C-alpha cells in the first residue's frame, strides 16, 4: 500500500513538472506625459488585442502595473498597446519576455495614424448602399478605435465615389472600414489589406446595424412627445438666460474694478 502510494506520488510530481506553468510577472511603467486609460498586451501571433488589462483602473505617469503571463502557454513574444483619454495610441512591438520583465512606455512610442512606417495610398470608395454616407472611418485592425471621420465635410452620395489619400502602415496593412449612412445605419468591411487595394465598394450587404436599431436605443425618439417636455425646455431656457445675465454682470463688474485699479496704480 505504501509502495503504491509513493509510486503514485512520484508519478504525480513528474507529471506536475511536465505540465507546470511558467508564469512570468511583467512590470509596465508609464513614462508618458499623460495617464493611460487602456492597456493591452497580447502574443504577436494573436489577431486581436484581447481584454483591457487596466479594467477600471488608470495608470498615471510615474506609476507601474504588474501583469502575469503564462509564457509556457502563449510563448514569449508579445506586443503592447496603450491609449490615453483622448485615444492617442502608443505601441511597442517585438517584446521578448524570455529576456525582459520590465516594459517602459515612452512618448516616442506614440503611434500616429498610418503607423510609424506610413505609405501614402489613394483609395477610391464607392457607395453601393441605398443611402448617402455621411461618416467614413478607416482604422488599423491592430487599433481599438476608429479615429477621425475621413470624409470631413464631404458626403459620399449613393451611387457615387470619392478618392482619398490615406497613410497606411506598411507593417500592419490590415484595416477595418466603418461607414455610417444618413439613416443611422452602419456598414463594416473588416480585415482588408489596404496596401493591396485601390478601390473599395461599400455594399448594402455590409450593413451591421440598421437605422431602426440605432434609434431604438433611445427611449424618446421624438422629444415633443415626452410628457412635460415644453415645461422642462422653458425652465431650462429661463435658467440659461438668468445664468448668462448673472455671469455677464459679474464679468462687467470685475473688469470695471480691474480697470479702476490699474488707473490708480498709474
Amino acid at each position: 500500500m505504501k509502495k503504491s502510494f509513493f509510486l503514485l506520488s512520484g508519478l504525480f510530481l513528474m507529471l506536475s513538472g511536465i505540465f507546470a506553468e511558467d508564469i512570468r510577472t511583467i512590470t509596465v511603467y508609464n513614462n508618458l506625459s499623460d495617464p493611460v486609460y487602456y492597456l493591452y498586451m497580447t502574443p504577436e501571433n494573436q489577431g486581436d488585442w484581447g481584454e483591457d488589462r487596466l479594467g477600471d483602473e488608470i495608470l498615471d505617469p510615474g506609476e507601474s502595473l504588474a501583469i502575469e503571463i503564462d509564457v509556457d502557454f502563449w510563448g514569449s513574444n508579445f506586443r503592447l498597446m496603450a491609449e490615453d483619454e483622448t485615444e492617442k495610441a502608443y505601441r511597442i512591438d517585438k517584446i521578448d519576455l524570455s529576456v525582459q520583465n520590465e516594459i517602459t512606455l515612452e512618448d516616442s512610442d506614440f503611434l500616429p495614424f498610418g503607423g510609424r512606417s506610413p505609405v501614402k495610398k489613394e483609395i477610391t470608395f464607392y457607395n453601393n448602399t441605398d443611402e448617402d454616407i455621411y461618416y467614413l472611418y478607416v482604422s488599423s485592425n491592430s487599433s481599438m478605435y476608429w479615429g477621425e471621420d475621413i470624409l470631413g465635410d464631404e458626403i459620399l452620395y449613393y451611387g457615387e465615389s470619392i478618392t482619398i489619400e490615406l497613410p497606411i502602415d506598411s507593417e500592419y496593412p490590415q484595416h477595418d472600414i466603418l461607414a455610417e449612412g444618413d439613416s443611422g445605419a452602419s456598414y463594416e468591411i473588416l480585415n482588408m489589406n489596404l496596401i493591396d487595394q485601390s478601390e473599395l465598394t461599400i455594399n448594402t450587404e455590409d450593413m451591421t446595424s440598421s437605422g431602426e436599431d440605432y434609434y431604438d436605443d433611445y427611449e424618446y425618439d421624438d422629444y415633443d412627445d415626452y410628457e412635460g417636455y415644453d415645461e422642462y425646455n422653458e425652465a431650462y431656457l429661463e435658467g440659461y438666460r438668468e445664468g448668462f445675465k448673472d455671469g455677464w454682470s459679474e464679468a462687467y463688474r470685475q473688469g470695471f474694478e480691474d480697470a479702476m485699479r490699474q488707473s490708480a496704480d498709474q
Side-chain angles (χ1 to χ4, degrees):
M1 182 70 177
K2 287 183 179 179
K3 185 176 182 181
S4 298
F5 173 78
F6 284 119
L7 285 172
L8 288 172
S9 298
L11 179 62
F12 175 77
L13 290 172
M14 182 179 69
L15 291 175
S16 297
I18 294 173
F19 294 106
E21 294 179 336
D22 185 4
I23 303 296
R24 304 284 179 85
T25 299
I26 310 301
T27 304
V28 180
Y29 294 91
N30 180 8
N31 200 30
L32 303 175
S33 305
D34 300 305
V36 170
Y37 279 69
Y38 307 93
L39 184 67
Y40 306 90
M41 193 166 181
T42 186
E44 284 193 342
N45 58 3
Q46 290 293 107
D48 58 70
W49 286 98
E51 295 183 358
D52 171 27
R53 303 272 182 167
L54 287 177
D56 296 329
E57 302 296 322
I58 297 174
L59 186 60
D60 288 315
E63 293 188 351
S64 63
L65 173 73
I67 300 175
E68 289 190 344
I69 293 176
D70 184 353
V71 177
D72 261 357
F73 183 80
W74 294 110
S76 61
N77 296 316
F78 273 70
R79 55 182 179 151
L80 179 145
M81 184 169 71
E83 291 178 333
D84 65 15
E85 187 178 16
T86 62
E87 300 180 2
K88 286 194 300 185
Y90 302 82
R91 191 173 73 200
I92 302 176
D93 298 319
K94 298 179 175 59
I95 302 170
D96 187 355
L97 299 185
S98 66
V99 296
Q100 67 182 105
N101 56 14
E102 294 183 355
I103 303 168
T104 302
L105 279 164
E106 305 281 359
D107 288 327
S108 58
D109 297 319
F110 173 66
L111 187 68
F113 180 57
R116 288 187 284 267
S117 303
V119 174
K120 290 185 178 180
K121 180 80 176 183
E122 281 195 350
I123 299 177
T124 302
F125 296 89
Y126 292 89
N127 181 1
N128 196 32
T129 69
D130 294 328
E131 61 180 323
D132 300 332
I133 290 176
Y134 279 68
Y135 305 97
L136 184 62
Y137 304 90
V138 175
S139 173
S140 170
N141 69 352
S142 66
S143 175
M144 302 299 296
Y145 296 97
W146 287 108
E148 297 182 0
D149 168 33
I150 64 172
L151 285 180
D153 296 330
E154 301 291 330
I155 297 174
L156 180 52
Y157 293 103
Y158 166 62
E160 296 187 1
S161 66
I162 187 170
T163 300
I164 302 175
E165 185 179 79
L166 296 173
I168 305 301
D169 189 343
S170 60
E171 296 181 2
Y172 293 86
Q174 303 299 124
H175 283 65
D176 301 329
I177 294 90
L178 170 67
E180 294 183 358
D182 58 355
S183 71
S186 297
Y187 306 83
E188 291 186 16
I189 302 174
L190 303 179
N191 202 27
M192 184 68 63
N193 188 329
L194 294 189
I195 294 292
D196 297 338
Q197 304 293 325
S198 57
E199 297 180 352
L200 278 174
T201 300
I202 304 166
N203 295 298
T204 305
E205 293 77 14
D206 298 320
M207 181 187 292
T208 55
S209 65
S210 67
E212 288 77 10
D213 296 334
Y214 176 83
Y215 291 114
D216 285 346
D217 289 339
Y218 297 90
E219 185 175 356
Y220 302 110
D221 292 341
D222 188 351
Y223 288 101
D224 291 337
D225 293 338
Y226 169 57
E227 184 178 353
Y229 171 77
D230 290 337
E231 292 80 2
Y232 173 83
N233 190 45
E234 182 58 35
Y236 174 84
L237 291 176
E238 181 60 29
Y240 179 84
R241 284 193 290 266
E242 290 297 324
F244 180 83
K245 183 166 58 178
D246 293 343
W248 186 88
S249 298
E250 176 62 23
Y252 180 83
R253 183 189 63 78
Q254 187 64 49
F256 180 78
E257 290 180 357
D258 291 344
M260 293 297 293
R261 191 178 301 110
Q262 291 177 5
S263 178
D265 292 342
Q266 292 175 357

